Amino acid sequence: MNTKNDNKFVAQGAAAWQEKEIHDEIMSDLNTVAGKDGCYVFINGNCYTWRVTLLPETRLLQILQRGRHDEIMYMIRRYQQANCSPEQRRYKSEVDEAHLPPSIQRLLAIRNNPEEVDAFLSFEGYCYAGQDVILERNDHFEKMRYLQRHGFDTYHQRLLLAENNQEEIALQITKHGLADELLDEMFDGLRENKPESVQLYYLYISHREFPEKYQRQMLRIVRTPEFEAYVDKYGLWEWVHDDLLEYRLMSEVRYYLERHPYLTYKGLLGLAKKSSHDDKMFYISTPNCDINGFLWAMFRFPPFDYEVMTQCFLRISASENEKQADIDLMKNGSHDEVMERIKQGKLSNRALTALFFRNSKEEFETYISLWEK
C-alpha cells in the first residue's frame, strides 16, 4: 500500500468535493434571485407590484472574486431574469429593479470577459463605476462597442468630448444624444461664437435633431449659417413654429418654408403679423400652404392686404354646412340687408367669399371686426 499516494488522491478529491460544495451553494443562492408579481389593496383599488429578491453585495463579491466564468454568467442571467418585462411593467404601479451593485459592475468591466460583458450589456448599461473603467482603459473599439448599445452618463460624456475622438462622439450623439448640461454649455458657447461650440453644433446636427427645448434655444441663439444648416436637414416641431416667426429674420423664414412648407396656426399668426406683402405672396405660393388658416390669421392683423386676401379667397375651401340663402344674400342683397345679416352671426366660407367679392370694405371689415378678431 502506498500511503503517500493514497493521501494525495484523497486530498485532491477533498479539494474537488469542497469546490463542488461551494459551487452548488453559490448556484443555490443564485436561484433565489427572482422577481415576483404582487398585489395589495390601496385606497383607490388594487396596487399591482413587482418585487425582487436579490443577494447581498458581499455574496456577489465572493462570486466575482472566485472568477468562475459559469457562475458569473449565471449570476448575470439571474439578475436579468429578475427584472420586470416591458410588457408587464405597463400594468404595474410599483416596480423594483434588479441591478447589480456598482462594485460588481466595476469588477465585470475590469475582467472584460467578452461573453460576460455581452450578457450584461444585453439588458443594461454600466453605472458610473463601470463607465469609469471603460474610459480609463481608453480602448477605442471597446468604447465603440459599448456605445452601440448604451450611452455614457453626463460626466463620462464630458470626458468623451475632452478626448475629442470624432467617431466616438458621433456615435454617442447618434445613438443616445448628449446630456442637457452639455447642450446648455454648447448653446452658451454659441452665444459667444466659440469655435469649439460651433464645431460641436455642426457635429451634433449632422447626426441628430434637437428636441423641442433645444430647437427653441437654437432659434433664439444661432447665426444664419447655423440656422440654415439645421433646416437643411430637419424641420421644426410644431410647438416651436411660433418661435420661428418670433426670433428669425423673414429671409430665414422663407428659407425654412422653401424646405419645409408647413406652419401651424401659431406660426401663421406670426407670419401674418410680421411679414411684408412679398412674404405673404411667397407663402401662399408654397406647396401645401394652409390657405384657410393663413386667411384667418390675417384677419387678426389689420390693415388688410387685399391683394393677398384676393388670392386666398379664390382658393378657400368650403365649410361643411354652407347655407345657400346666405351665399345668395351676399351676392345680390342690398347694403342694408347685408349689414343686417352680418350683425346676426358668422358666415360660412362660401358666403364670406361672396361678401369679400362684393368689394365693399365697410361691409367686409365690419364683419371681420364683429366675428373674426
Side-chain angles (χ1 to χ4, degrees), residues 245 248-251 253-254 257 263 267-284 294 297-298 301 303 305 308:
L245 272 297
R248 305 313 301 189
L249 301 170
M250 279 308 306
S251 59
V253 174
R254 289 175 66 153
L257 289 172
L263 288 174
L268 293 175
L269 286 172
L271 186 65
K273 179 180 180 180
K274 182 178 179 180
S275 60
S276 67
H277 169 77
D278 287 345
D279 296 327
K280 292 180 174 71
M281 292 296 285
F282 170 82
Y283 173 70
I284 65 174
F294 189 45
M298 287 191 290
F301 302 104
D305 187 324
V308 176

Side-chain angles (χ1 to χ4, degrees), residues 6-273:
D6 289 346
N7 290 341
K8 178 181 176 182
F9 295 143
V10 171
Q12 290 174 344
W17 175 79
Q18 186 178 23
E19 172 62 20
K20 181 179 182 301
E21 287 287 292
I22 295 172
H23 175 72
D24 289 346
E25 186 178 338
I26 285 173
M27 300 302 275
S28 177
D29 286 349
L30 287 171
N31 281 332
T32 67
V33 174
K36 186 178 180 181
D37 283 310
C39 177
Y40 65 88
V41 178
F42 198 58
I43 188 169
N44 294 322
N46 290 336
C47 180
Y48 295 97
T49 64
W50 181 265
R51 302 302 185 202
V52 296
T53 302
L54 307 176
L55 291 181
E57 184 174 354
T58 53
R59 186 56 165 155
L60 296 174
L61 281 170
Q62 290 171 356
I63 295 171
L64 260 294
Q65 287 164 355
R66 277 169 54 79
R68 274 192 59 161
H69 175 65
D70 57 339
E71 293 173 353
I72 294 171
M73 287 294 293
Y74 193 60
M75 176 192 71
I76 293 169
R77 291 194 193 101
R78 293 301 300 177
Y79 271 75
Q80 178 181 12
Q81 293 162 2
N83 279 302
C84 188
S85 70
E87 295 76 20
Q88 290 179 297
R89 191 178 291 264
R90 291 180 295 172
Y91 306 105
K92 305 297 183 186
S93 302
E94 298 176 4
V95 176
D96 290 346
E97 304 291 347
H99 294 305
L100 287 166
S103 62
I104 304 303
Q105 294 190 34
R106 181 174 179 276
L107 288 174
L108 283 173
I110 291 171
R111 279 175 60 84
N112 203 24
N113 178 285
E115 190 177 2
E116 294 167 6
V117 169
D118 284 345
F120 177 76
L121 297 183
S122 69
F123 69 99
E124 68 175 318
Y126 285 125
C127 66
Y128 182 97
Q131 293 180 34
D132 242 6
V133 173
I134 295 177
L135 269 294
E136 287 172 3
R137 196 152 45 215
N138 200 26
D139 182 303
H140 171 68
F141 296 104
E142 180 184 11
K143 286 187 283 185
M144 293 296 285
R145 285 181 67 239
Y146 183 81
L147 287 167
Q148 284 290 344
R149 288 181 170 177
H150 304 284
F152 289 114
D153 61 24
T154 303
Y155 173 77
H156 294 96
Q157 286 178 39
R158 190 180 296 282
L159 294 181
L160 203 68
L161 293 177
E163 290 168 1
N164 201 31
N165 183 298
Q166 298 292 291
E167 189 179 10
E168 294 169 3
I169 297 170
L171 189 56
Q172 168 71 41
I173 292 169
T174 301
K175 294 286 189 177
H176 317 288
L178 289 177
D180 284 3
E181 181 181 315
L182 300 178
L183 288 175
D184 288 339
E185 292 174 7
M186 181 191 75
F187 277 105
D188 287 343
L190 286 169
R191 285 188 179 92
E192 303 172 21
N193 199 29
K194 290 182 177 179
E196 64 272 19
S197 296
V198 174
Q199 180 188 30
L200 181 58
Y201 174 88
Y202 278 103
L203 179 61
Y204 190 99
I205 68 172
S206 68
H207 296 284
R208 194 180 189 92
E209 66 178 332
F210 291 122
E212 176 188 344
K213 172 183 176 181
Y214 291 104
Q215 287 184 31
R216 291 189 185 278
Q217 285 210 41
M218 184 266 296
L219 291 171
R220 287 166 167 81
I221 292 170
V222 303
R223 302 172 306 162
T224 296
E226 282 73 58
F227 170 80
E228 292 181 350
Y230 186 85
V231 302
D232 282 343
K233 286 186 66 68
Y234 311 107
L236 297 170
W237 293 6
E238 292 186 353
W239 300 276
V240 301
H241 284 187
D242 52 339
D243 281 16
L244 170 67
L245 272 297
E246 179 71 22
Y247 295 105
R248 305 313 301 189
L249 301 170
M250 279 308 306
S251 59
E252 296 172 325
V253 174
R254 289 175 66 153
Y255 189 89
Y256 178 83
L257 289 172
E258 286 173 346
R259 289 149 183 79
H260 311 282
Y262 167 73
L263 288 174
T264 60
Y265 185 64
K266 280 189 175 181
L268 293 175
L269 286 172
L271 186 65
K273 179 180 180 180

Side-chain angles (χ1 to χ4, degrees), residues 322-369:
E322 297 281 356
K323 294 182 179 179
Q324 191 60 45
D326 279 346
I327 297 170
D328 293 340
L329 178 60
M330 294 304 111
K331 285 181 177 179
N332 305 312
S334 68
H335 173 73
D336 289 341
E337 290 172 330
V338 168
M339 293 298 286
E340 182 61 29
R341 171 60 186 86
I342 285 171
K343 294 174 185 177
Q344 294 173 13
K346 298 185 74 169
L347 297 169
S348 65
N349 286 2
R350 286 188 63 202
L352 180 58
T353 302
L355 171 62
F356 179 80
F357 284 119
R358 283 175 66 87
N359 201 19
S360 167
K361 282 191 176 183
E362 179 188 358
E363 295 169 357
F364 177 71
E365 293 190 8
T366 298
Y367 175 85
I368 297 300
S369 67

